Amino acid sequence: MSGHFDFLNMNFFTKASVYPGSIGTFRYRFQRTGWMEDGSIQVWVYENTSFELAQDVETETFPWTEEGVEQIRAWLEQKLAERGTEPYRIPYPPKKK
């Protein structure tokens, strides 16, 4: 069985210094500092809203190493299991009767 975050590897974090993502309503964000083997990656998880407006935010910082990336994948899987997700949808106001 493969995990939701198997795509994360050392090179993934070279694509951008900040990367937001989501699995349905489960939102996450990465921000790296430094460079491989010498830097760190901060990870946030938050509710289904914009990062700037989120109130239920959890964060951890990991080393930018092979072991750190493994820890990121495990932490995100744990948070996804705890918080859950639903398919993304745009809420519409109820129809007037």
Side-chain angles (χ1 to χ4, degrees):
M1 182 173 135
S2 63
H4 294 95
F5 301 99
D6 288 349
F7 66 93
L8 296 176
N9 59 40
M10 292 283 286
N11 289 328
F12 173 85
F13 296 103
T14 65
K15 295 178 183 181
S17 60
V18 175
Y19 179 88
S22 65
I23 297 175
T25 58
F26 178 79
R27 303 282 179 107
Y28 56 91
R29 178 182 174 115
F30 307 115
Q31 182 169 353
R32 68 168 165 82
T33 55
W35 201 244
M36 282 189 228
E37 303 294 340
D38 191 32
S40 63
I41 301 166
Q42 187 169 5
V43 184
W44 293 266
V45 295
Y46 52 100
E47 74 266 16
N48 189 29
T49 187
S50 71
F51 180 72
E52 294 76 17
L53 296 176
Q55 294 181 8
D56 184 16
V57 179
E58 294 180 72
T59 186
E60 287 284 333
T61 302
F62 302 90
W64 191 358
T65 61
E66 291 287 347
E67 296 80 18
V69 172
E70 287 177 27
Q71 292 170 354
I72 290 170
R73 288 193 298 260
W75 189 75
L76 285 169
E77 290 289 353
Q78 175 190 349
K79 294 302 168 187
L80 178 59
E82 289 172 5
R83 289 173 170 253
T85 187
E86 295 178 14
Y88 179 76
R89 66 187 183 287
I90 298 172
Y92 293 100
K95 292 182 181 180
K96 293 181 181 178
K97 293 184 180 185

